[in-house]
Structures are given as structure tokens and as C-alpha cells.
Amino acid sequence: MDIDLTPKLAKKVYGENGGSYHAWCPDELPMLRQGNIGAAKLALEKDGFALPRYSDSSKVAYVLQGAGVGGIVLPESEEKVIAIKKGDAIALPFGVITWWYNKEDTDLVVLFLGDTSKGHKAGQFTDFFLTGTNGIFTGFTTEFVKRAWDVDDDTVKALLGKQTGKGIVKLDANVKMPEPKPEHRQGLALNCEEAPLDTDIKNAGNVVVLNTRNLPLVGQVGLGADLVRLEGNAMCSPGFSCDSALQVTYIVKGSGRLQVVGVDGKRVLETVVKAGNLLIVPRFFVVSKIADPDGLSWFSIITTPNPVFTHLAGSIGTWKALSPEVLRASFNIPDETEKLFRSKRTSDAIFFPPPK
């Protein structure tokens, strides 16, 4: 499989006053197009307001930094206004309308990963704005706007003439926005940094898996996700997605070494990953990571709402499941080597602490 898997950084698409929107380009990261995956990042400054929009793709949003407010309107439903903060994951199905607002001094940064298989462009999100200089209103003639919304000429001019921003605007500090309601978060968002851990290995790492059990809406999105935190110098077991799902990984914090092995046992990628990198592991390819001393954290989406993984090393590794006879025959090794091999990693699953 001759394809560039090198991790990439996002590039700015638009935004000046109030914030900016960045995306990963499928021309630079070909696996986005091949896997029909979109990836983008929204950064809002203080009083930055991301105008209401909907997308041609279902997504999972993950708050990388800061705190703010999000507005979510599901099809044929009322607006839900939720408080969002670092660590929040939000499922965004097809047809959902969203807006985002930051009233804090710290920038609000939200990552979007999603499925573009039904979108206009493979590997790229297309957003449709309700307002702004590129909003839906600007495309209709005055007659259509008047008749559709039952307004007069002066109102139409006011609606269209006051829109000066594209995608993101900076609001006056005195502007009042809707206050979030705690009950609106139910079923819409899950904080991955506060949720119960699915796996927790002392001195090694932990993981929270986002699936239909803890956030049912991901079933409509068709994607699963996880947040993995690896301790300094710890290792993540070599493993692969055994249900043909793609894994799209964004490095949230820290750095580390990564290797990917593909068809015919060939190492197709060996690199250092750092915060801000995005990479995609092809179906069935085996990936492993070793964190640098400061640790390594990543957020991934998996192209199925309830992913299944096979790990090749550790107490639950595939080699532990195979019989001694098969191991000896496969590796062409004597009995004592097989016993030594099997005796290792009997208590560590998925994550391995640093060597002593």
C-alpha cells in the first residue's frame, strides 16, 4: 500500500476578527480522501462567535481547550444550549445546526472529526451557513426572502445589510447570548476527562471509550471515539481494528514515537508525533506508540459506533490465546524460548509501564 501516512498539521481556511477555522487537506493527507474522513479545528477568541451552520457530514466534536457555550438544534427539535469545556465530546449527526460562542479570556478550541462519505467532497467538510456574508439569505432574491419569511422590504434590507462577517464574528462585550441549561447536556455531551475509565493501568495509561452506551447519539453519527492518556515513557500495545474500521488520531498533548506495520510485515511509518498532529491508520494495519518522558495523549474517532480492537501483546494479547504448540511451530523456536515468551506481560493489558 503506497500511501503517505505522515502526520500533518491543520491549515487556516478562514477567520480574522473573533477567531479562525482550520482544516486538514486531503491533498496533503491522502488517507482523508481514501477513508472519507474530514478533520477540522475551530478556534474562538474572547467574544468570538461561530455563526449558525450545518454540515454535509456527521461529526464528533471534541473540546481541546477552554470553555464556552454551544448551541445545537437537531432536526425538528428545539435549540439546546450547553456549557462546554475542555474534554467534552459532542456527537453531531446529519442535519444538526450548531453555533459556538466564547466569552472567556482563554481561546476556545474545538476539534471536528467526521465521516464525509455522503458529503460533497471526499475527505473534506462542507459547511452551509445560515447567516453571514456567505449565508443562505444572501443567495435568495428579495422577493423570495419577503415571501418566505413574510417581511417587508425594509426588514429584508436590515437582515441582509447587517451581515458583515464570514463564518466567525467578534461580538460586542455587552451582547447577551443564551445561558446554557444543565439539563440540555443530557445525551448530547460527555466529558472524556471526567468519565469513568474503561481501562486504567497503573503507571502506564488509561482510556475512555465513547460509544452508544455512554453517548447514544454516536449511533446516529456512525462513529465511535476514545481518549487515550499514556504516561511518560509508557507504551501502547501493538494492535489493530479487527472490524475493518479506520482510526483517525489527533495528538492532544505531549509527544512520542509511533510505528505502523502493514501488508507483508512492512513498516510503513516510523515517526515522532506531537500535539496538533493528525494521522490515519489504514484498516487492519498494526500501530504502536511509546510516549516521551512528558507523556502522550490522543483523541481518536473510529468509523464504527462500537469499535472492536485486537491487541497483539500484553495479558490479553493474541499470542497468549494461541497454544504453545502453535507458537513453537510458527516461530520455529524451542520449548524453553516459547515458555519464556509466554511468561512475559502476564499482568499488563493494552498499556505497558516504562522498563525498570
Side-chain angles (χ1 to χ4, degrees):
M1 186 176 188
D2 186 20
I3 193 165
D4 182 12
L5 302 179
T6 308
K8 297 292 193 301
L9 297 171
K11 291 192 174 181
K12 183 177 175 180
V13 179
Y14 64 83
E16 295 297 337
N17 194 24
S20 54
Y21 180 85
H22 307 251
W24 282 266
C25 176
D27 290 336
E28 294 187 356
L29 192 57
M31 279 299 299
L32 288 173
R33 184 180 291 111
Q34 185 170 110
N36 260 314
I37 297 294
K41 193 161 53 172
L42 173 70
L44 292 179
E45 303 166 1
K46 180 176 174 60
D47 297 318
F49 177 44
L51 297 172
R53 70 198 66 193
Y54 61 93
S55 176
D56 64 350
S57 305
S58 57
K59 308 172 185 174
V60 172
Y62 182 74
V63 182
L64 295 168
Q65 175 185 303
V69 178
I72 299 173
V73 183
L74 295 168
E76 306 298 324
S77 180
E78 65 176 2
E79 179 185 64
K80 305 286 188 182
V81 181
I82 64 173
I84 58 174
K85 65 178 182 178
K86 182 176 177 288
D88 275 349
I90 305 131
L92 302 174
F94 279 115
V96 66
I97 293 171
T98 61
W99 55 261
W100 312 91
Y101 174 62
N102 180 26
K103 60 182 177 181
E104 307 295 336
D105 291 329
T106 302
D107 284 3
L108 172 66
V109 183
V110 184
L111 173 72
F112 300 96
L113 301 174
D115 175 16
T116 66
S117 59
K118 296 180 181 178
H120 287 269
K121 300 175 182 177
Q124 191 173 336
F125 298 137
T126 300
D127 288 335
F128 295 83
F129 296 89
L130 300 190
T131 61
T133 57
N134 58 340
I136 300 300
F137 266 81
T138 62
F140 285 110
T141 62
T142 301
E143 178 193 1
F144 270 67
V145 175
K146 286 172 58 178
R147 292 191 60 178
W149 285 276
D150 192 22
V151 293
D152 57 25
D153 286 335
D154 290 339
T155 303
V156 174
K157 289 179 181 178
L159 288 171
L160 297 179
K162 295 289 186 179
Q163 300 183 55
T164 57
K166 178 182 178 182
I168 299 170
V169 298
K170 189 177 184 70
L171 300 181
D172 186 279
N174 296 322
V175 170
K176 296 293 184 183
M177 294 295 283
E179 291 294 325
K181 297 181 179 179
E183 64 271 21
H184 281 182
R185 272 183 64 93
Q186 185 67 34
L188 283 181
L190 176 76
N191 191 278
C192 295
E193 296 187 355
E194 300 173 354
L197 300 173
D198 291 274
T199 301
D200 187 15
I201 309 297
K202 186 178 180 180
N203 299 322
N206 57 63
V207 59
V208 170
V209 178
L210 194 71
N211 53 34
T212 55
R213 291 184 294 278
N214 53 20
L215 192 60
L217 204 57
V218 300
Q220 292 185 40
V221 175
L223 302 168
D226 60 20
L227 175 66
V228 180
R229 289 164 285 198
L230 205 56
E231 299 291 339
N233 296 315
M235 182 180 191
C236 182
S237 168
F240 65 93
S241 167
C242 57
D243 53 6
S244 80
L246 279 169
Q247 187 170 4
V248 186
T249 297
Y250 176 86
I251 306 300
V252 174
K253 184 180 179 182
S255 60
R257 291 176 289 149
L258 174 144
Q259 293 184 359
V260 178
V261 176
V263 180
D264 293 329
K266 293 181 179 179
R267 190 186 316 130
V268 294
L269 181 64
E270 181 172 13
T271 189
V272 172
V273 290
K274 300 178 180 180
N277 284 161
L278 184 84
L279 62 125
I280 302 177
V281 178
R283 292 176 172 89
F284 303 111
F285 281 38
V286 179
V287 61
S288 183
K289 306 178 186 74
I290 298 177
D292 286 340
D294 290 336
L296 179 66
S297 300
W298 63 88
F299 183 79
S300 298
I301 63 160
I302 304 96
T303 56
T304 177
N306 294 297
V308 180
F309 290 96
T310 291
H311 294 276
L312 300 180
S315 60
I316 60 171
T318 299
W319 295 121
K320 291 285 191 285
L322 292 171
S323 61
E325 296 83 358
V326 170
L327 277 181
R328 288 196 296 268
S330 299
F331 280 115
N332 190 25
I333 54 175
D335 183 61
E336 58 268 23
T337 304
E338 184 277 323
K339 287 181 179 178
L340 177 64
F341 181 64
R342 187 180 294 275
S343 69
K344 303 295 184 178
R345 294 286 182 219
T346 57
S347 59
D348 302 321
I350 304 179
F351 306 124
F352 310 142
K356 294 181 180 178

